[in-house]
């Protein structure tokens, strides 16, 4: 349970970090806004022409009498829009991270430098095109895994009582796990941590991951909220990635400041402590 609370605190710390660094927050908003506009346009197009698409895809129902034709195609149109909405929620983070790779890479590096005791941020050393390719490839693999879970949970949703109570809760935890994987990937890819290793690392601290990702999954159901939380989510995921790898976190130089207060430098000419 301690890890559950720690994960949520990393989410809050990430939001506080970007709040203190307004310029980074502003740049971090751009990819989310671009993705939101693209997704909104796609959903509007689906709402406007979804019925026509369903009619084109179901020519066998043209001769059905009223009201069955309208009910059948209306139901399929609603299902089509619902699937489009679900797909947009599941893929929003992956697409935003892909579009904003340079922005979030820069933001994550600055977080690393800010909290690293020596001010160092790991670098992949790879060219941008290679980083984009790896990010896109890994995102597709994660989306495929998330889609399989989605199909399984959708089927379980038809189980009486359990499908309407337990399954939605499990769905949020599953979504939170995959969201966290996508977000921590920004920092972990710079450390050359492969997807398989990342998943093993996250599974070893599931409660930490759920504490971070599950509240975020609930918030990301509202697209506008997702846009404004993304920069802080990347910052918080960077902090959590350091925790997962056992790297020291010195927030805002507080550790160095405390060390300087506790162990003052000896006067000139005096021997150093321990010598």
């Amino acid at each position: 349970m301690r890890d559950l609370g720690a994960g949520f605190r990393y989410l809050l710390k990430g939001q506080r970090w970007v709040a203190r660094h307004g310029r980074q927050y502003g740049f971090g908003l751009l990819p989310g806004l671009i993705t939101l506009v693209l997704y909104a346009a796609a959903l509007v197009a689906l709402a406007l022409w979804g019925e026509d698409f369903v009619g084109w895809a179901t020519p066998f129902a043209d001769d059905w009498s009223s009201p069955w034709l309208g009910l059948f195609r209306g139901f399929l149109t609603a299902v089509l829009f619902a699937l489009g909405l679900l797909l947009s929620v599941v893929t929003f983070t992956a697409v935003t991270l892909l579009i904003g790779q340079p922005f979030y890479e820069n933001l994550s590096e600055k977080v690393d430098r800010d909290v690293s005791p020596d001010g160092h941020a790991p670098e992949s050393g790879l060219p941008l095109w290679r980083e984009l390719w790896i990010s896109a490839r890994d995102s597709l693999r994660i989306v495929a895994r998330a889609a399989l879970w989605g199909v399984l949970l959708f089927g379980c949703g038809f189980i009486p009582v359990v499908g309407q109570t337990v399954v939605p809760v499990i769905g949020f935890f599953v979504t939170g796990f995959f969201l966290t994987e996508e977000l921590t990937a920004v920092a972990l890819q710079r450390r050359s941590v492969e997807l398989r290793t990342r998943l093993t690392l996250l599974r070893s601290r599931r409660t930490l991951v759920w504490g971070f990702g599950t509240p975020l999954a609930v918030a990301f159901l509202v697209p506008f909220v997702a846009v404004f939380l993304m920069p802080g989510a990347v910052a918080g995921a960077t902090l959590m990635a350091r925790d997962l790898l056992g790297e020291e976190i010195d927030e805002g130089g507080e550790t160095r400041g405390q060390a300087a207060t506790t162990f003052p430098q000896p006067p000139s000419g005096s021997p150093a402590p321990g010598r």
Side-chain angles (χ1 to χ4, degrees), residues 55-224:
W56 170 81
T58 57
F60 58 85
D62 287 342
D63 298 329
W64 290 14
S65 60
S66 180
W68 305 115
L69 176 62
L71 289 173
F72 175 69
R73 285 182 171 170
F75 172 74
L76 289 183
T77 302
V79 169
L80 179 65
F81 186 81
L83 287 175
L85 190 61
L86 177 63
L87 187 62
S88 69
V89 172
V90 170
T91 61
F92 184 88
T93 301
V95 174
T96 302
L97 288 173
L98 185 61
I99 292 174
Q101 179 75 15
F103 295 94
Y104 294 135
E105 193 79 25
N106 182 262
L107 189 155
S108 180
E109 284 184 17
K110 289 188 180 299
V111 173
D112 265 324
R113 290 195 182 95
D114 192 41
V115 303
S116 175
D118 59 2
H120 173 72
E123 297 179 4
S124 67
L126 298 175
L128 179 60
W129 71 267
R130 179 66 177 168
E131 290 182 350
L132 289 174
W133 162 249
I134 293 173
S135 179
R137 181 197 65 192
D138 290 351
S139 292
L140 284 174
R141 291 175 177 175
I142 291 299
V143 169
R145 284 177 166 87
L148 289 175
W149 271 98
V151 171
L152 176 62
L153 292 172
F154 179 77
C156 292
F158 291 99
I159 301 174
V161 182
V162 174
Q164 293 73 50
T165 54
V166 178
V167 171
V169 174
I170 295 175
F172 280 120
F173 277 94
V174 170
T175 304
F177 181 90
F178 287 120
L179 273 178
T180 304
E181 196 289 325
E182 289 281 1
L183 291 164
T184 53
V186 178
L188 294 176
Q189 280 178 3
R190 282 192 291 107
R191 293 162 167 83
S192 301
V193 181
E194 296 291 335
L195 175 61
R196 188 182 299 274
T197 306
R198 294 202 304 267
L199 289 172
T200 301
L201 195 63
L202 293 173
R203 289 181 187 125
S204 69
R205 301 279 298 278
R206 279 191 177 90
T207 51
L208 180 72
V209 172
W210 290 334
F212 181 90
T214 304
L216 202 58
V218 176
F220 273 22
L221 288 176
V222 184
F224 284 106

Side-chain angles (χ1 to χ4, degrees), residues 39-64:
Y39 273 51
L43 289 173
V44 168
L46 192 60
L48 292 176
W49 293 294
E51 188 175 356
D52 293 336
F53 174 78
V54 169
W56 170 81
T58 57
F60 58 85
D62 287 342
D63 298 329
W64 290 14

